[in-house]
């Protein structure tokens, strides 16, 4: 059950924004085997000058079409699983029209005690929800 934040510059059509969100979700579902309706995404559009995303010293230039993705999820997945997710997100975003150099992903892990889905309870801790398998 990842929570995904998607930040991008304004200027895309609603259909393009939805295609980006769908591409990311499809990659997560296929790589991590989560249920299709286990979808939590926050999409924020910013004026282009409010996103600064350089190359971290890798020697390439990003465009104003950069898509910054933050994945918040429970710890436990292997480095190989994460690499597979990065590739899948990248490949699906390319299909959605995002340039390869404009795919930026940050991955943040936490534990079951760090989630509340409502009602002021940590449902993984109370047992209302089963803790997802991290495979």
């Amino acid at each position: 059950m990842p929570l995904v934040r998607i930040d991008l510059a304004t200027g895309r059509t609603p259909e393009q924004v939805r295609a980006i969100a769908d591409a990311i979700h499809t990659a997560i579902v296929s790589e991590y085997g989560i249920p299709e309706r286990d979808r939590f995404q926050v999409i924020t559009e910013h004026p282009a000058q409010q996103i600064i995303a350089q190359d971290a010293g890798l020697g390439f230039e990003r465009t104003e079409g950069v898509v910054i993705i933050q994945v918040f999820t429970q710890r436990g997945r292997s480095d190989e699983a994460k690499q597979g997710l990065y590739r899948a997100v990248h490949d699906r975003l390319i299909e959605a029209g995002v340039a390869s150099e404009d795919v930026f992903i940050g991955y943040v892990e936490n534990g079951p005690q760090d989630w509340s889905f409502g009602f002021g309870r940590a449902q993984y801790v109370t047992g209302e929800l089963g803790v997802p398998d991290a495979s």
Side-chain angles (χ1 to χ4, degrees):
M1 186 293 321
L3 167 62
V4 179
R5 294 193 52 91
I6 304 165
D7 290 275
L8 40 82
T10 56
R12 289 182 169 94
T13 67
E15 295 78 19
Q16 290 170 320
V17 172
R18 183 59 188 236
I20 288 168
D22 289 348
I24 295 166
H25 184 66
T26 299
I28 293 170
V29 168
S30 68
E31 290 298 312
Y32 284 179
I34 66 168
E36 181 70 32
R37 288 186 48 85
D38 200 352
R39 185 173 184 169
F40 300 91
Q41 295 177 314
V42 178
I43 303 165
T44 307
E45 294 182 88
H46 307 270
Q49 70 274 14
Q50 289 184 0
I51 296 179
I52 301 169
Q54 296 179 331
D55 67 354
L58 294 171
F60 63 88
E61 294 296 322
R62 298 187 196 277
T63 75
E64 288 186 355
V66 67
V67 177
I68 298 178
I69 304 149
Q70 297 174 46
V71 179
F72 299 88
T73 191
Q74 291 195 41
R75 65 182 152 265
R77 291 187 175 92
S78 69
D79 290 345
E80 293 79 19
K82 294 173 193 175
Q83 290 289 325
L85 178 65
Y86 303 154
R87 275 189 303 278
V89 167
H90 167 269
D91 293 349
R92 292 222 169 41
L93 285 176
I94 296 304
E95 293 170 8
V98 177
S100 191
E101 66 273 15
D102 286 338
V103 178
F104 182 99
I105 303 170
Y107 196 95
V108 180
E109 295 181 312
N110 52 44
Q113 70 279 9
D114 299 316
W115 297 92
S116 173
F117 296 93
F119 306 101
R121 297 187 300 271
Q123 286 85 354
Y124 291 134
V125 175
T126 65
E128 295 168 79
L129 285 173
V131 176
D133 181 20
S135 58

